Amino acid sequence: MEATNGSNETAVQAVARDMKTMGDGEGTAEENSTMKVWIAVDESDGSFYALEWALKHLFAHHDADKESPFAITVVHVQPPFQPTYTALPVGPVLFATSGMRDSVVKAEEESAAKILARASELCDQHKIKVEYLVLRGNPKEMLVEAVDQMDIDLLVVGSRGLGQIKRAVLGSISDYCAHHAKCPVLIVRPMKV
């Protein structure tokens, strides 16, 4: 987890603090009855299937002219840059220079922008107003920490359809969230063809 502004406050804590201070501090009954829903997206087709499924099935019946009972946020967690090193003496060792690191960070930001632009198109097609949030860190740990700290009511995640062995070796974000998040987690599996 990376700290912001040189303090011990994590990125999630900073976002939670900023979101809480955006209002006047006094929540109305209407604001308190708003269900906070996060939909996690990444570059996978499974996450966009989950987004589209949620837009069609969970929020399709709301009237665009009226205030929605949902506060929907599309969340993308950008994994931190971690250069790989080899412990085997197979040749020259590659170290990440500051220029290389800067270009990787720029590429990550562009990737996140493309993912959110794709998500925005889907939300616009369904005429559903959403907010967008990009976090940085280990996706499964950041999602669980963020939904817990920000009192999210529902987390929607996609499933890549990994088998048991791949899921055990690679780790599954949806599986981790289902077992560790304190809010309900809706895992949307793609349709089998």
Side-chain angles (χ1 to χ4, degrees):
M1 201 76 47
E2 76 182 36
T4 59
N5 299 332
S7 70
N8 290 331
E9 183 179 56
T10 66
V12 173
Q13 291 168 333
V15 170
R17 176 185 36 80
D18 292 345
M19 290 182 86
K20 286 179 184 173
T21 58
M22 287 190 331
D24 59 4
E26 296 293 323
T28 64
E30 187 174 306
E31 288 172 344
N32 292 335
S33 67
T34 301
M35 182 177 189
K36 294 184 274 184
V37 179
W38 274 18
I39 306 171
V41 295
D42 59 16
E43 64 280 344
S44 72
D45 289 336
S47 73
F48 281 95
Y49 179 81
L51 172 62
E52 186 156 22
W53 188 94
L55 295 174
K56 283 182 180 177
H57 294 90
L58 298 179
F59 313 115
H61 303 293
H62 97 284
D63 186 355
D65 296 331
K66 293 183 180 179
E67 189 68 28
S68 174
F70 303 102
I72 307 165
T73 303
V74 173
V75 182
H76 173 66
V77 182
Q78 189 68 49
F81 172 64
Q82 295 176 336
T84 56
Y85 301 102
T86 179
L88 301 173
V90 293
V93 177
L94 176 66
F95 292 98
T97 64
S98 62
M100 176 191 255
R101 191 170 307 226
D102 292 343
S103 66
V104 169
V105 168
K106 183 178 178 185
E108 288 174 343
E109 290 172 354
E110 290 172 0
S111 172
K114 286 179 184 177
I115 290 168
L116 293 183
R118 185 175 168 196
S120 178
E121 285 179 26
L122 273 175
C123 295
D124 290 346
Q125 288 173 6
H126 291 277
K127 297 181 174 127
I128 296 176
K129 181 183 166 198
V130 300
E131 293 183 2
Y132 300 91
L133 178 63
V134 176
L135 300 173
R136 184 178 280 292
N138 180 313
K140 54 188 172 186
E141 293 171 0
M142 285 298 292
L143 283 171
V144 167
E145 181 182 340
V147 298
D148 292 347
Q149 288 184 7
M150 300 176 76
D151 297 322
I152 302 305
D153 298 308
L154 176 66
L155 174 63
V156 179
V157 294
S159 173
R160 293 184 288 172
L162 298 177
Q164 275 187 316
I165 295 173
K166 284 185 180 178
R167 187 170 50 244
V169 173
L170 299 175
S172 166
I173 293 172
S174 58
D175 188 56
Y176 185 88
C177 291
H179 287 93
H180 294 90
K182 293 185 177 140
C183 71
V185 178
L186 173 61
I187 301 172
V188 181
R189 288 181 168 59
M191 299 285 275
K192 290 188 179 185
V193 180

